[in-house]
Amino acid sequence: MTARFSAVGIVAADMGKSLAFYRRLGLDIPAEADGEPHVEYEVGGGVRILWDTVEVARSIDPDYRPSAGGGVGMAFACADAADVDRVYADLVGAGYTGDKEPWDAFWGQRYAVVVDPDGNHVDLFAPLPGAAT
């Protein structure tokens, strides 16, 4: 048997704040999920993002402590280089923390990094015009 990647998990200090951030990135998560202790969202191909409250994490592991190392990292593809700038500006304008302002990366992508409410880094990227993808 071979293990198959299935999900990314986030432990949310505040479920509503965490889900609001990801809604702003375009995930269609119902508002009533804000009050749930566990939320799942399929991003495609059977891969899901899972959110659990700290209480759920501690019900599984009573010694659970949030990571000091920044948790998980995710990346969201944008339509084009200008869209990276627009999405980054939208998130920062809404009060989320920008970690790296958009720049043209040497590997041929427009890239930026924002931080979700739980301290996880979320990359935004799109191929630069003329760059090999």
Side-chain angles (χ1 to χ4, degrees):
M1 179 175 174
T2 302
R4 179 181 60 85
F5 179 72
S6 176
V8 171
I10 297 172
V11 176
D14 182 312
M15 186 67 78
K17 285 182 181 178
S18 186
L19 296 179
F21 175 86
Y22 289 95
R23 282 187 194 103
R24 204 158 188 105
L25 280 168
L27 302 187
D28 188 22
I29 304 165
E32 56 269 14
D34 289 4
E36 296 295 323
H38 175 83
V39 176
E40 296 190 15
Y41 181 85
E42 185 167 339
V43 294
V47 176
R48 299 161 298 146
I49 301 175
L50 314 173
W51 289 265
D52 288 304
T53 62
V54 172
E55 293 76 22
V56 167
R58 288 192 177 133
S59 75
I60 297 165
D61 176 4
D63 296 324
Y64 169 80
R65 290 192 190 343
S67 170
V72 301
M74 288 186 274
F76 282 73
C78 296
D80 55 31
D83 199 35
V84 171
D85 295 1
R86 183 194 62 73
V87 172
Y88 179 88
D90 177 70
L91 290 167
V92 171
Y96 297 106
T97 301
D99 185 59
K100 302 275 187 205
E101 291 185 9
W103 81 96
D104 293 343
F106 69 87
W107 56 85
Q109 292 178 326
R110 184 74 172 164
Y111 222 85
V113 182
V114 293
V115 181
D116 80 3
D118 295 294
N120 300 304
H121 287 184
V122 177
D123 299 355
L124 308 171
F125 70 94
L128 288 169
T133 56

